[in-house]
Amino acid sequence: MLNVDELKYCMKRTLYSLGISLLLCLAACENGEAPVLGAIIIDKVTTETITCHVEVVASNIVDYGFYYGTSRSNVSNNKSKKEAGTYDASTIHGEIVGLTPNKDYYIKAYGMNEFGKGETEVVKVKTLPLTPGEDDNNFPDLK
């Protein structure tokens, strides 16, 4: 469980990484390059659903979505389930449903255009347990 300072540090690292990715991508996308995606941002986790998004700067995106599963290697090698998601010109949104409570899942986003495919790093997310107990509270300050 992360304390407030650790959470702030992780958020700063994610935002910094996203900013660097977007800056590097601006020139690449204008010169006919494959999309470059930022880090996956987890928006909401429930017992059976993970909602997330990823920023992308690219033109003419023709395919996009998320690979997910319970094996990091299968997700890394694109041999896992695929969720299409939605795309709104700068962000790929995903809602992965039908998951098992209290289980680790690995997620990777991708975007494709005529020049190639861009992918994120694989992230690990755990769904919430069915009956949360006192020790399962990820945010104890919010009781």
Side-chain angles (χ1 to χ4, degrees):
M1 178 168 56
L2 296 176
N3 65 36
V4 174
D5 290 332
E6 291 171 327
L7 184 59
K8 286 179 184 177
Y9 175 76
C10 290
M11 290 174 68
K12 285 180 185 178
R13 278 188 51 205
T14 300
L15 290 174
Y16 177 77
S17 173
L18 178 61
I20 295 296
S21 296
L22 291 177
L23 288 174
L24 293 174
C25 182
L26 285 175
C29 292
E30 291 176 0
N31 295 321
E33 298 288 330
V36 175
L37 284 66
I40 292 178
I41 306 297
I42 303 300
D43 299 312
K44 184 177 180 182
V45 179
T46 69
T47 55
E48 299 176 353
T49 305
I50 298 171
T51 306
C52 54
H53 71 275
V54 62
E55 300 293 325
V56 58
V57 177
S59 58
N60 302 322
I61 296 289
V62 295
D63 190 20
Y64 50 86
F66 297 86
Y67 292 102
Y68 70 97
T70 56
S71 163
R72 179 182 288 276
S73 62
N74 283 350
V75 172
S76 296
N77 296 317
N78 304 337
K79 295 179 180 177
S80 58
K81 294 182 181 180
K82 187 168 136 179
E83 176 63 39
T86 59
Y87 176 65
D88 68 7
S90 65
T91 307
I92 300 170
H93 300 272
E95 183 175 42
I96 302 167
V97 299
L99 305 176
T100 302
N102 204 33
K103 190 162 186 116
D104 290 332
Y105 285 90
Y106 299 90
I107 305 170
K108 176 175 75 170
Y110 72 93
M112 292 178 64
N113 64 13
E114 63 198 76
F115 302 106
K117 183 177 186 178
E119 298 178 337
T120 65
E121 295 292 321
V122 175
V123 297
K124 179 179 165 182
V125 181
K126 187 171 190 164
T127 53
L128 297 179
L130 280 175
T131 310
E134 187 67 31
D135 293 342
D136 297 325
N137 186 356
N138 290 329
F139 303 100
D141 297 335
L142 301 177
K143 289 183 182 179

